[in-house]
Amino acid sequence: MKNSIVIVFFFILIIGCQESKKNEMKSINTLSKRAIKVRDYMKKDMVIAHRGTTYWAPEETEAAFRWARNIGADYLELDLQMTKDNVLIALHDDDLRRTTNISSIFTDRDSLPTANFTLKELRSLDAGSWFNISRPDQAKKSFENLKIMTLQDVLMIAEGYHIKKESGVPAKEMVSGIWTGQYLYEKDPNDNGNRPGVYAETKTEHFEKILAEELKELGWLITSNPKKIETFPNKVTIANSEARFILQSFYPESIVELEKHVPNVPKCLLLWKPDMKGELKTTYQETVNFAVKNNVQIIGSSIAGEPNNYGELTAPWMTEMIHKTGMVIHPYTFDTVDQLNKYHKRLDGVFTNRADLALEFYGRKSSSSSEEILKDLGY
Ligand code: G3P
């Protein structure tokens, strides 16, 4: 009798668990056909070069992005910010103190946000020397006085160009005898034929409409007569595909604006543990549903553990939930092989400062070492 009661109890428990799992999954939305089509533009196991690299060269500079292209990364990743004169530039922090010498150039304005400076002012800064001080093991004289990049500069690097130099300094684009703040480009003589895509992060300021217009003008907007970019056999060819440009943001408002101004371009909602208020499972589910509702195809979640020690937002139950919606997962930020080993089976791509390690992990090791590539590129 006692055994029968125990069996009935477990039977009820199992049915109960199945029902609760069904209910949980019932409230997970799934991608629309339109979003699935855009999702399928993207390949699997993509290696996204976070800020170009923060390890081998000063982040988001020409050295970092040229290295990432030549090592064979699938994407050059950058953070977008707007200058006072409405130029989109590549910069992570809200101000310029960490990654430039602004404190010795604009002494009374150094803590101001980037939007307080014109492109010309920003181009007067040295965005490389700080790295030599903070990373003496990777320091190079040639990193000194590297410039802040524009979005256009990064797209040109992906296309196999670099900034033209005259007597070792960037050649200025002049209009009616006045420097625009832009530089001139030329074919990069040390380009090795890889044509990566570009994966750009928007912040809180709303420049999504301007971004759409700029992408269109530069031939990178896949929904509006994109340019043909020449590619080469056995090289990265994403720059000439429908997945050439991916948008990402931590900010729901920006995701909504991106969907309005740049529809049918792959989008990633980034997740950050301190933003996850309330019971984690409920919040996570609501966040995932928000992404689906707004035609987001990718979740960019943080991973736990050394060396960054972010909150765990890529646990198995989370990745299962994301995949159930039809979305793919590109977590951040992978700096070690241990991290790749721990997570790789349930991911579709990785943001990494060590594209060299990630490519090797996925069986696509570069034939040249990172040091050789930097040397070839003149650093
Ligand atoms: O861009 C993906 C992820 O790296 C976000 O982190 O701090 O570089 O914007 P962050």
PDB file of all heavy atoms in Angstrom, residues 4 19 30 52 140 155 203 291 321 334 338 369:
ATOM      1  N   SER A   4       2.418   1.820  -3.278  1.00  0.00           N
ATOM      2  CA  SER A   4       1.479   2.364  -4.267  1.00  0.00           C
ATOM      3  C   SER A   4       1.329   3.862  -4.091  1.00  0.00           C
ATOM      4  O   SER A   4       1.315   4.632  -5.057  1.00  0.00           O
ATOM      5  CB  SER A   4       0.095   1.731  -4.105  1.00  0.00           C
ATOM      6  OG  SER A   4       0.230   0.355  -4.150  1.00  0.00           O
ATOM      7  N   GLU A  19       3.953  19.733 -16.884  1.00  0.00           N
ATOM      8  CA  GLU A  19       2.986  20.808 -17.127  1.00  0.00           C
ATOM      9  C   GLU A  19       3.634  22.170 -16.918  1.00  0.00           C
ATOM     10  O   GLU A  19       3.484  23.085 -17.712  1.00  0.00           O
ATOM     11  CB  GLU A  19       1.779  20.663 -16.156  1.00  0.00           C
ATOM     12  CG  GLU A  19       0.681  19.749 -16.666  1.00  0.00           C
ATOM     13  CD  GLU A  19       0.215  20.096 -18.071  1.00  0.00           C
ATOM     14  OE1 GLU A  19      -0.171  21.251 -18.310  1.00  0.00           O
ATOM     15  OE2 GLU A  19       0.266  19.219 -18.956  1.00  0.00           O
ATOM     16  N   THR A  30       8.247  33.056 -30.455  1.00  0.00           N
ATOM     17  CA  THR A  30       9.189  32.562 -31.466  1.00  0.00           C
ATOM     18  C   THR A  30       9.323  33.583 -32.604  1.00  0.00           C
ATOM     19  O   THR A  30       8.412  34.377 -32.855  1.00  0.00           O
ATOM     20  CB  THR A  30       8.739  31.208 -32.055  1.00  0.00           C
ATOM     21  OG1 THR A  30       7.395  31.337 -32.488  1.00  0.00           O
ATOM     22  CG2 THR A  30       8.837  30.100 -31.032  1.00  0.00           C
ATOM     23  N   GLY A  52      38.156  45.117 -32.212  1.00  0.00           N
ATOM     24  CA  GLY A  52      39.340  44.714 -32.986  1.00  0.00           C
ATOM     25  C   GLY A  52      40.099  43.708 -32.152  1.00  0.00           C
ATOM     26  O   GLY A  52      40.068  42.512 -32.368  1.00  0.00           O
ATOM     27  N   LYS A 140      54.314  48.920 -28.373  1.00  0.00           N
ATOM     28  CA  LYS A 140      55.083  49.135 -29.605  1.00  0.00           C
ATOM     29  C   LYS A 140      55.142  50.633 -29.863  1.00  0.00           C
ATOM     30  O   LYS A 140      54.136  51.333 -29.732  1.00  0.00           O
ATOM     31  CB  LYS A 140      54.412  48.446 -30.795  1.00  0.00           C
ATOM     32  CG  LYS A 140      54.439  46.926 -30.728  1.00  0.00           C
ATOM     33  CD  LYS A 140      53.856  46.312 -31.986  1.00  0.00           C
ATOM     34  CE  LYS A 140      53.661  44.819 -31.823  1.00  0.00           C
ATOM     35  NZ  LYS A 140      54.884  44.083 -31.538  1.00  0.00           N
ATOM     36  N   LEU A 155      34.829  50.454 -41.877  1.00  0.00           N
ATOM     37  CA  LEU A 155      34.275  49.785 -43.065  1.00  0.00           C
ATOM     38  C   LEU A 155      35.344  49.677 -44.153  1.00  0.00           C
ATOM     39  O   LEU A 155      35.458  48.647 -44.829  1.00  0.00           O
ATOM     40  CB  LEU A 155      33.065  50.561 -43.600  1.00  0.00           C
ATOM     41  CG  LEU A 155      31.848  50.653 -42.664  1.00  0.00           C
ATOM     42  CD1 LEU A 155      30.761  51.524 -43.288  1.00  0.00           C
ATOM     43  CD2 LEU A 155      31.278  49.285 -42.345  1.00  0.00           C
ATOM     44  N   LYS A 203      24.777  53.077 -28.443  1.00  0.00           N
ATOM     45  CA  LYS A 203      24.686  53.399 -27.010  1.00  0.00           C
ATOM     46  C   LYS A 203      23.353  54.093 -26.740  1.00  0.00           C
ATOM     47  O   LYS A 203      22.388  53.859 -27.446  1.00  0.00           O
ATOM     48  CB  LYS A 203      25.858  54.323 -26.634  1.00  0.00           C
ATOM     49  CG  LYS A 203      27.210  53.751 -26.991  1.00  0.00           C
ATOM     50  CD  LYS A 203      27.667  52.774 -25.953  1.00  0.00           C
ATOM     51  CE  LYS A 203      29.029  52.234 -26.306  1.00  0.00           C
ATOM     52  NZ  LYS A 203      29.433  51.143 -25.454  1.00  0.00           N
ATOM     53  N   ALA A 291      12.939  40.839 -27.218  1.00  0.00           N
ATOM     54  CA  ALA A 291      13.825  40.708 -28.384  1.00  0.00           C
ATOM     55  C   ALA A 291      13.055  40.125 -29.572  1.00  0.00           C
ATOM     56  O   ALA A 291      13.091  40.663 -30.683  1.00  0.00           O
ATOM     57  CB  ALA A 291      15.025  39.837 -28.032  1.00  0.00           C
ATOM     58  N   MET A 321      16.434  28.384 -23.634  1.00  0.00           N
ATOM     59  CA  MET A 321      15.299  29.294 -23.836  1.00  0.00           C
ATOM     60  C   MET A 321      15.498  30.140 -25.100  1.00  0.00           C
ATOM     61  O   MET A 321      14.575  30.296 -25.915  1.00  0.00           O
ATOM     62  CB  MET A 321      15.165  30.215 -22.609  1.00  0.00           C
ATOM     63  CG  MET A 321      13.918  31.067 -22.621  1.00  0.00           C
ATOM     64  SD  MET A 321      13.900  32.279 -21.277  1.00  0.00           S
ATOM     65  CE  MET A 321      13.551  31.271 -19.869  1.00  0.00           C
ATOM     66  N   PHE A 334      35.101  36.427 -24.677  1.00  0.00           N
ATOM     67  CA  PHE A 334      35.965  35.246 -24.558  1.00  0.00           C
ATOM     68  C   PHE A 334      37.436  35.652 -24.669  1.00  0.00           C
ATOM     69  O   PHE A 334      37.860  36.182 -25.684  1.00  0.00           O
ATOM     70  CB  PHE A 334      35.591  34.225 -25.640  1.00  0.00           C
ATOM     71  CG  PHE A 334      34.287  33.541 -25.336  1.00  0.00           C
ATOM     72  CD1 PHE A 334      33.084  34.167 -25.621  1.00  0.00           C
ATOM     73  CD2 PHE A 334      34.267  32.304 -24.724  1.00  0.00           C
ATOM     74  CE1 PHE A 334      31.874  33.544 -25.306  1.00  0.00           C
ATOM     75  CE2 PHE A 334      33.066  31.672 -24.405  1.00  0.00           C
ATOM     76  CZ  PHE A 334      31.870  32.302 -24.700  1.00  0.00           C
ATOM     77  N   ASP A 338      39.852  28.146 -21.880  1.00  0.00           N
ATOM     78  CA  ASP A 338      38.983  27.542 -20.860  1.00  0.00           C
ATOM     79  C   ASP A 338      37.541  28.008 -21.039  1.00  0.00           C
ATOM     80  O   ASP A 338      36.597  27.216 -20.939  1.00  0.00           O
ATOM     81  CB  ASP A 338      39.442  27.939 -19.444  1.00  0.00           C
ATOM     82  CG  ASP A 338      40.642  27.125 -19.002  1.00  0.00           C
ATOM     83  OD1 ASP A 338      40.980  26.147 -19.715  1.00  0.00           O
ATOM     84  OD2 ASP A 338      41.247  27.473 -17.975  1.00  0.00           O
ATOM     85  N   SER A 369      51.252  34.141 -37.192  1.00  0.00           N
ATOM     86  CA  SER A 369      50.981  34.445 -35.779  1.00  0.00           C
ATOM     87  C   SER A 369      50.543  35.909 -35.651  1.00  0.00           C
ATOM     88  O   SER A 369      50.734  36.710 -36.576  1.00  0.00           O
ATOM     89  CB  SER A 369      52.238  34.212 -34.948  1.00  0.00           C
ATOM     90  OG  SER A 369      53.189  35.217 -35.265  1.00  0.00           O
TER      91      SER A 369
END
